[in-house]
Short mmCIF file of all heavy atoms in Angstrom, two decimals:
data_model
loop_
_atom_site.label_atom_id
_atom_site.label_comp_id
_atom_site.label_asym_id
_atom_site.label_seq_id
_atom_site.Cartn_x
_atom_site.Cartn_y
_atom_site.Cartn_z
N ALA A 14 -7.27 -18.46 13.86
CA ALA A 14 -8.51 -19.18 13.52
C ALA A 14 -8.78 -20.30 14.54
O ALA A 14 -9.94 -20.53 14.92
CB ALA A 14 -8.42 -19.74 12.11
N ILE A 17 -10.29 -18.76 17.53
CA ILE A 17 -11.70 -18.43 17.27
C ILE A 17 -12.57 -19.67 17.44
O ILE A 17 -13.60 -19.63 18.12
CB ILE A 17 -11.86 -17.83 15.84
CG1 ILE A 17 -11.22 -16.45 15.78
CG2 ILE A 17 -13.33 -17.78 15.44
CD1 ILE A 17 -11.10 -15.86 14.38
N LEU A 51 -7.63 -11.57 19.59
CA LEU A 51 -9.08 -11.51 19.31
C LEU A 51 -9.68 -10.22 19.88
O LEU A 51 -10.61 -10.24 20.69
CB LEU A 51 -9.79 -12.74 19.89
CG LEU A 51 -9.29 -14.11 19.39
CD1 LEU A 51 -10.23 -15.22 19.84
CD2 LEU A 51 -9.14 -14.12 17.87
N ASP A 52 -9.11 -9.08 19.46
CA ASP A 52 -9.55 -7.78 19.97
C ASP A 52 -9.88 -6.82 18.83
O ASP A 52 -9.24 -6.89 17.78
CB ASP A 52 -8.43 -7.13 20.79
CG ASP A 52 -8.10 -7.89 22.06
OD1 ASP A 52 -9.04 -8.47 22.65
OD2 ASP A 52 -6.92 -7.92 22.44
N GLN A 60 -12.92 5.17 14.82
CA GLN A 60 -13.54 3.92 14.41
C GLN A 60 -12.62 2.75 14.75
O GLN A 60 -11.47 2.96 15.12
CB GLN A 60 -13.86 3.96 12.91
CG GLN A 60 -14.80 5.09 12.53
CD GLN A 60 -16.13 5.02 13.27
OE1 GLN A 60 -16.65 3.95 13.56
NE2 GLN A 60 -16.67 6.19 13.61
N GLY A 87 -20.54 -0.21 6.28
CA GLY A 87 -19.52 0.10 7.28
C GLY A 87 -18.22 -0.62 6.99
O GLY A 87 -17.78 -1.50 7.72
N THR A 133 -18.32 5.53 -1.34
CA THR A 133 -18.48 6.46 -0.21
C THR A 133 -19.92 6.93 -0.22
O THR A 133 -20.35 7.57 -1.18
CB THR A 133 -17.55 7.69 -0.36
OG1 THR A 133 -16.22 7.23 -0.52
CG2 THR A 133 -17.63 8.58 0.88
N GLN A 137 -27.09 3.48 4.55
CA GLN A 137 -28.53 3.26 4.75
C GLN A 137 -29.30 3.42 3.43
O GLN A 137 -30.46 3.04 3.34
CB GLN A 137 -29.07 4.20 5.82
CG GLN A 137 -28.45 3.89 7.18
CD GLN A 137 -28.76 4.95 8.22
OE1 GLN A 137 -29.60 4.75 9.06
NE2 GLN A 137 -28.08 6.09 8.14
N TRP A 140 -27.28 0.12 -2.25
CA TRP A 140 -26.58 0.34 -3.54
C TRP A 140 -27.46 -0.25 -4.63
O TRP A 140 -27.26 -1.37 -5.08
CB TRP A 140 -25.20 -0.31 -3.49
CG TRP A 140 -24.24 0.18 -4.53
CD1 TRP A 140 -24.53 0.83 -5.70
CD2 TRP A 140 -22.81 0.04 -4.49
NE1 TRP A 140 -23.37 1.12 -6.38
CE2 TRP A 140 -22.30 0.64 -5.66
CE3 TRP A 140 -21.91 -0.54 -3.58
CZ2 TRP A 140 -20.94 0.68 -5.94
CZ3 TRP A 140 -20.57 -0.50 -3.87
CH2 TRP A 140 -20.08 0.11 -5.04
N GLU A 141 -28.46 0.56 -4.98
CA GLU A 141 -29.54 0.16 -5.89
C GLU A 141 -29.04 -0.52 -7.17
O GLU A 141 -29.58 -1.54 -7.59
CB GLU A 141 -30.30 1.46 -6.26
CG GLU A 141 -31.46 1.26 -7.20
CD GLU A 141 -32.76 1.11 -6.43
OE1 GLU A 141 -33.11 2.06 -5.72
OE2 GLU A 141 -33.39 0.06 -6.57
N ASP A 147 -27.75 -11.14 -2.26
CA ASP A 147 -28.10 -12.39 -1.56
C ASP A 147 -28.05 -12.19 -0.05
O ASP A 147 -28.81 -12.79 0.70
CB ASP A 147 -27.14 -13.51 -1.95
CG ASP A 147 -27.27 -13.87 -3.41
OD1 ASP A 147 -28.41 -14.03 -3.87
OD2 ASP A 147 -26.24 -13.97 -4.10
N PRO A 159 -33.69 0.51 7.29
CA PRO A 159 -34.53 1.20 6.30
C PRO A 159 -35.17 0.20 5.33
O PRO A 159 -34.52 -0.77 4.92
CB PRO A 159 -33.53 2.09 5.55
CG PRO A 159 -32.32 2.18 6.42
CD PRO A 159 -32.28 0.93 7.23
N LEU A 166 -32.76 -6.62 -0.92
CA LEU A 166 -32.40 -7.99 -0.54
C LEU A 166 -33.21 -8.95 -1.40
O LEU A 166 -34.40 -8.75 -1.61
CB LEU A 166 -32.74 -8.19 0.94
CG LEU A 166 -32.33 -9.48 1.64
CD1 LEU A 166 -30.81 -9.65 1.65
CD2 LEU A 166 -32.86 -9.47 3.10
N GLY A 170 -33.34 -14.00 0.93
CA GLY A 170 -32.05 -13.47 1.39
C GLY A 170 -32.02 -13.19 2.88
O GLY A 170 -33.07 -13.12 3.54
N GLU A 177 -29.88 -1.97 18.05
CA GLU A 177 -29.88 -1.31 19.35
C GLU A 177 -31.22 -1.50 20.01
O GLU A 177 -32.26 -1.20 19.43
CB GLU A 177 -29.57 0.18 19.16
CG GLU A 177 -28.18 0.40 18.60
CD GLU A 177 -27.94 1.81 18.09
OE1 GLU A 177 -28.73 2.72 18.43
OE2 GLU A 177 -26.97 1.99 17.33
N ARG A 192 -43.67 -11.24 1.32
CA ARG A 192 -43.81 -9.87 1.81
C ARG A 192 -43.40 -9.76 3.28
O ARG A 192 -43.39 -8.69 3.85
CB ARG A 192 -45.26 -9.43 1.65
CG ARG A 192 -45.42 -8.64 0.36
CD ARG A 192 -46.79 -8.03 0.27
NE ARG A 192 -47.51 -8.61 -0.87
CZ ARG A 192 -48.83 -8.66 -0.95
NH1 ARG A 192 -49.58 -8.22 0.03
NH2 ARG A 192 -49.40 -9.16 -2.01
N PRO A 206 -22.06 2.76 16.49
CA PRO A 206 -23.37 2.99 15.86
C PRO A 206 -23.27 3.48 14.42
O PRO A 206 -22.30 4.12 14.03
CB PRO A 206 -23.99 4.09 16.74
CG PRO A 206 -22.83 4.79 17.34
CD PRO A 206 -21.71 3.81 17.46
N VAL A 208 -24.10 6.11 11.73
CA VAL A 208 -24.26 7.57 11.80
C VAL A 208 -24.77 8.03 10.43
O VAL A 208 -24.36 7.47 9.41
CB VAL A 208 -22.89 8.23 12.13
CG1 VAL A 208 -23.01 9.74 12.17
CG2 VAL A 208 -22.34 7.68 13.44
N ARG A 213 -16.51 13.87 3.84
CA ARG A 213 -15.51 13.91 2.76
C ARG A 213 -14.33 14.77 3.13
O ARG A 213 -14.46 15.68 3.89
CB ARG A 213 -16.13 14.43 1.47
CG ARG A 213 -17.10 13.43 0.89
CD ARG A 213 -17.53 13.84 -0.52
NE ARG A 213 -18.75 13.17 -0.88
CZ ARG A 213 -18.81 11.98 -1.49
NH1 ARG A 213 -17.70 11.35 -1.81
NH2 ARG A 213 -19.96 11.43 -1.78
#
Side-chain angles (χ1 to χ4, degrees):
I17 290 170
L51 302 190
D52 294 326
Q60 300 302 325
T133 305
Q137 295 170 103
W140 198 341
E141 180 95 61
D147 295 313
L166 186 62
E177 296 167 16
R192 264 187 244 156
V208 178
R213 290 190 199 270

